[in-house]
Amino acid sequence: MKNLHYIPHTHWDREWHKTFEAFRVRLGYSMEILLDTMENDKNFDYFMYDAQTSILDDYLTVYPENRERLKKLISDKRLFVGPWYTQPDFYLISGESLVRNLLIGSNIADDMGHSMETGYIPDSFGQSAQLPQILNGFDLKSVLVWRGIACDDIDNSVFSWQSPDGSEILGIHFPLGYGYNRYLPADKEDAVKKILETEEKIADRFKDGEVMLMGGGDHTTIQNGLPDIIDYANKYFKKNNYDLNIKISNPELLTKDIKNALKKSSRKLQVLHGELRNPKEQRVHFGDSSSRMDIKYLNKTLEYKISSVIEPLSTFAYLENGIYSNGLINKSWKYLFENQAHDSICTCCTDESHDDIMNRFKYSGQINKELENMFFRYMERELDLSQIKGRAVLLVNTLPYKREKFIEITVYTKKKEFSLYTSAGKKIPYEIVSSLNTDLSETDISLAMDIASENYILDSYSKNPKYVFWKNKIIISSDFLPAGGYEVIDIRENEAADNNEKLVSSHENQLENEYLKINIKENGSLDIFEKESREKFSALIYEEKGDDGDEYDYSPPKNDRIFTTENLKAEITKLYENNFETAFEIKHVMMVPNALNPDRSGRNTELTELKIKSTVSLRAASRIIAVKTELHNNSHDHIIKVLCSAPVTTDSSYAGDHFSVIKRDNQISVPENWKELNYKSKPLPIYPMQGFTDISDSKTGIAVLSAGLPEYEIYNNDTIALTLMRSVGKMGKSDLEIRPGRVSGIEFNTPDSQMTGNYKFEFGIVPHSGNYSDAQIQRLVSLYSAPVNVKQFLEDIKTGDRPLRKEYIELTGNNIEVSALKKAERDKNIILRLFNPSQKLSENNRLKINFPHNSVSITNLKETAFLGNLEFSDNSYILPDLKNAEILTLKITI
């Protein structure tokens, strides 16, 4: 007999074509109906609220009196929530964001009685290769998934899905989507007819006798009377000799019954590998990674800020008996998770909803900034500054390994002449980039409040000259700075600095250090000679072309015109030159069409200015060419990219992914008759990335690093095209060149998505020898994305007893990177998460811990399992070997 699992549910987009607050009004009504229905009808066994717990926060903030009612249904395993906090996109956010989304979401659900033990992913626009490993890290039993899989990919909707590290999880595919029975007809005979029609459509997709029927859809409410319909259907099946039984079910019960059936049949499951982005049967949207790039860019910046700065700083304070505020840090994460819901971060919403997203980013940033301030205020009180002869500056390296040789910091002095000393009294070489006379009370709100308080007491108003300083941006040698720790340096004024050896040179429009020699051509592009491989590269050609797409998808106009800076003459100016760094400014003015034609047949003949200003700098001992680009956009319906080329030809490229590096084909094989084959959209080789993309062979290659820009494409098998901006004016359009038929979303005007005005982006260019792993590109991404944290103490406070230098944690070895350093969620211990981003086995790695602790053990991503202690030898812990893309989470017991 076949068991039909009818799963009543709702898919709850927190914001989309309406704002969050508008949908919260609907959530209140939906929840009230659900509570009344399930409390009054005990035969209504189960309902699933989209596997996310943000709806609990959203609802209970307004209706706190219903907490116990909800808790009862969740504890009784009738109402299913979690393990997610929000239903995220799986490409535009970091692996650490995915882990925290599950960690915080499942803990909220646990506290309410039960977190669903299934990864439920109904509507994200494609699936990450690492999801099986991540879901296994939370002991989830299966994953229910829709987009990115076509029925041609698997012979059955029940399959095994494998991550690059070899982790596998039971996969269950929605063959008709998550909403194919939005509601059953109220008429019971019609309902049975609908059930039978649906079962017939998908019968061959469930070969184990356990069939999934989804009952719900976007923002649906619970269907009153459903148990009576199900009861009638079973009587009808029995009366008419159908070998069927239908029951109200849930993903956990479905998973359990499928696993039992598989155990009986011993059927071997087909295995799917890696990421799932097939658009044949569902749209996965090639271009949602570049619409509203200002939102995408800010999301990545804040992800790095929380995980690479705020949490490690808070951990260091906690190790000095300070406060670690899980609640505040998690609130900052929650603002990000709300913005990382698939419709939100893919920016396929209304302009009004996008405004709300930007506000939540502001709230997250405000929490981060004040947590950072609190760390430095705490350390200012705790440090023994009595040995400082001048002005104290605290430098903190939040990464558990040494920094690059030269770093940029800002210090404040009363005199223009000064020297820097380490805590041990050794002089620190430095070079000045710029000096600006600054009144700090005009830029620091805390100082402004101090002056206001003084004026209030004196009943008068006056500026305080003690806050007027020279603001010095300088490049310093960072050899003294410890791994995973801090050092206080000493600024002594009226003392001449030593002369430094010239380590970066420039001649006319050339820059050179020990690794690279760069010539800025007349058109503003870069000719680069990489000294180790002795190969030549080119970079910094800007490309502009039309876009007839929408917020979901890039789509070329039927008749496009493409413009580049290749044949333009650029305005090139040297900004500064010192012994450690040189920088040039490059300006372009491109004349480009101002919009598409009204009939969308091509681009207007009317041209307008696209202004591009780039700052290109090269630092001593660095392999990174740092680029800051400012665009002044006056045009509509177009896309802007920057091109960087290598002297290699390869049919594949590499990109940072979740706790790994992924290899992708530069071109995708597409049948010429893809439209006749009813593809939902044409597959495009437009890809997302986490931190970098790289094209290389065994001899040489080029990488582009970005802490904010998430989209790339490979041209001609030798050129990285990094997307800077995509301008569109509608949420959705119908009949796109690459996406025929109906509109995605709704055809609604979103003028803010045209992104007119000024926008600033940063990226790094790294020509290198060998492949990305040989060049340690992932390590460069970490260093590039998490700068040293600096705080100068302006007041003369010398009351603490903490040392001026301390190294808390150090990681040594190859092919291993850090993703998190934080306090555990449920106890007082410390969590350190590591991963292997290379294609090789990561071995012979060690961890040195320089703070009081009892042991180091391996745990899971949920931080609940004990998977063995690490061996201690030669004053450090021996780390287990890690396979390619393997994640290792450690718990340091204190």
Side-chain angles (χ1 to χ4, degrees), residues 742-753:
R742 67 167 178 86
V743 66
S744 281
I746 57 175
E747 193 154 348
F748 193 80
N749 289 332
T750 55
D752 289 353
S753 289

Side-chain angles (χ1 to χ4, degrees), residues 544-549 554-557 560-563 596 603 636-639 727:
E544 187 272 357
K545 57 186 179 181
D547 190 346
D548 185 31
Y554 160 76
S555 187
D560 199 3
R561 286 191 290 162
I562 300 175
F563 298 79
L596 292 177
R603 307 184 72 187
H636 291 180
D637 310 313
H638 66 147
I639 186 169
S727 304

Side-chain angles (χ1 to χ4, degrees), residues 411-421 427 430 432 435 470 472-474 490-498:
V411 297
Y412 299 89
T413 60
K414 286 291 185 178
K415 306 294 183 181
K416 295 195 74 172
E417 193 173 69
F418 60 91
S419 286
L420 303 178
Y421 289 86
K427 217 167 191 179
Y430 76 89
I432 293 179
S435 292
W470 287 101
N472 305 292
K473 185 184 293 185
I474 62 176
D490 191 351
I491 306 177
R492 300 178 191 174
E493 300 187 25
N494 291 322
E495 182 179 319
D498 293 341

Side-chain angles (χ1 to χ4, degrees), residues 2-31:
K2 281 187 180 179
N3 288 316
L4 307 184
H5 292 257
Y6 190 89
I7 301 177
H9 74 99
T10 186
H11 175 52
W12 200 266
D13 295 305
R14 297 180 73 256
E15 62 197 351
W16 178 28
H17 58 86
K18 291 181 181 288
T19 63
F20 160 67
E21 290 296 352
F23 276 133
R24 177 149 65 176
V25 173
R26 294 178 62 174
L27 177 64
Y29 284 92
S30 174
M31 276 289 194

Side-chain angles (χ1 to χ4, degrees), residues 826-856:
R826 299 292 203 181
D827 57 46
K828 66 179 183 179
N829 301 311
I830 303 298
I831 297 294
L832 176 67
R833 188 157 18 259
L834 307 170
F835 65 99
N836 175 11
S838 76
Q839 302 294 318
K840 307 172 184 176
L841 184 70
S842 179
E843 51 189 346
N844 302 319
N845 298 303
R846 286 182 169 266
L847 178 66
K848 189 174 182 181
I849 298 175
N850 298 311
F851 56 84
H853 66 286
N854 296 316
S855 62
V856 179

Side-chain angles (χ1 to χ4, degrees), residues 510-520 526-539 618 622-623 625 645 647 699-702 765-769:
Q510 292 183 347
L511 307 85
E512 184 174 3
N513 68 7
E514 58 265 57
Y515 299 119
L516 303 168
K517 184 175 183 179
I518 304 164
N519 177 54
I520 305 175
L526 310 181
D527 275 349
I528 308 163
F529 179 70
E530 202 277 321
K531 296 181 180 181
E532 186 172 354
S533 66
R534 303 193 62 78
E535 295 285 352
K536 293 181 179 179
F537 302 77
S538 63
L618 183 65
S622 177
R623 298 180 180 275
I625 304 166
S645 300
K699 182 181 178 184
T700 190
I702 192 169
I765 303 168
V766 186
H768 59 82
S769 62

